Amino acid sequence: MFHYLESYLFLAKLDLEIKKKIIRNKIKNLIYYNFSNYNYINIKNVRQWCKTNRIKFYIADDIKLAIKLKTDGIYLTRQYKTKKKLFLVKKQFTILGSAHNQMEYCLKKSQGCKRIFLSPIFKTNKYSINKVLGLVKFNLISLDWNIKTVALGGVNKKNFKFAKLTKNNSIGFQSLINEI
């Protein structure tokens, strides 16, 4: 299903069934974002499993933990507002960011993000139909961006084929893994 797309799975908990789906669908990027319970041992086990299966592993908003676990990078949510650029020792450390508009894009660009997740592309429980970008608006907003974009938000089995119509070749999702 994701063979030709670069896919990013947002995950708070990793169990055996999810592991099988990740391997079967060849998902190569995992973003751990469990804000309510950062259990170091659990995250370390997820990191080790990702390393064993050649899956890139990112932590949301916790730079110290990301460096300590030697992750592949960090994912900066829209709540991460520090304006200074993140300079990290490791050359292969990738900084990903999340934006909902042009102003947030400029902030993420100044933070040194290599990829920016633009959301929401489809309707979600969190965002009403009035806040949804849609395909046309997504493509127009990201048209002049010189940083690679990733479509994020509300991607499910029904609208997955429409997500492929964006001008990029990357997609981020959370609930789609439960549907496949």
Side-chain angles (χ1 to χ4, degrees), residues 45-46 85 87 89 119-120 131 147 150 161:
N45 291 337
V46 173
K85 197 170 192 171
F87 292 101
V89 178
S119 72
K131 302 260 184 190
I147 296 175
V150 180
K161 60 185 170 199

Side-chain angles (χ1 to χ4, degrees), residues 45-175:
N45 291 337
V46 173
R47 169 64 181 137
Q48 187 57 44
W49 181 82
C50 287
K51 202 173 196 176
T52 304
N53 291 291
R54 295 185 183 150
I55 296 171
K56 291 186 178 179
F57 182 68
Y58 303 91
I59 296 274
D61 286 342
D62 195 337
I63 297 169
K64 289 179 183 177
L65 183 60
I67 292 170
K68 186 176 181 180
L69 287 172
K70 298 178 183 170
T71 64
D72 297 296
I74 187 162
Y75 174 74
L76 303 177
T77 62
R78 76 187 283 200
Q79 283 80 23
Y80 194 88
K81 302 281 186 189
T82 306
K83 292 188 179 182
K84 66 180 179 179
K85 197 170 192 171
L86 299 174
F87 292 101
L88 299 160
V89 178
K90 188 177 172 188
K91 288 184 179 181
Q92 300 299 326
F93 198 85
T94 306
I95 303 170
L96 309 172
S98 175
H100 294 79
N101 54 42
Q102 287 288 109
M103 285 178 24
E104 289 178 11
Y105 161 74
C106 292
L107 175 64
K108 295 303 171 191
K109 186 176 176 184
S110 70
Q111 290 173 340
C113 294
K114 300 287 186 242
R115 287 191 183 273
I116 295 182
F117 291 71
L118 183 58
S119 72
I121 190 166
F122 300 113
K123 185 179 179 299
T124 65
N125 295 338
K126 188 176 177 182
Y127 296 102
S128 68
I129 195 73
N130 298 334
K131 302 260 184 190
V132 171
L133 294 172
L135 294 174
V136 174
K137 201 170 185 181
F138 178 91
N139 285 333
L140 286 173
I141 288 174
S142 61
L143 186 65
D144 292 331
W145 290 8
N146 55 358
I147 296 175
K148 292 182 180 182
T149 56
V150 180
L152 176 66
V155 179
N156 58 33
K157 208 170 186 177
K158 287 181 183 177
N159 59 25
F160 179 74
K161 60 185 170 199
F162 297 112
K164 295 187 289 187
L165 297 174
T166 60
K167 76 171 194 105
N168 62 13
N169 63 348
S170 303
I171 189 165
F173 57 91
Q174 178 181 351
S175 59

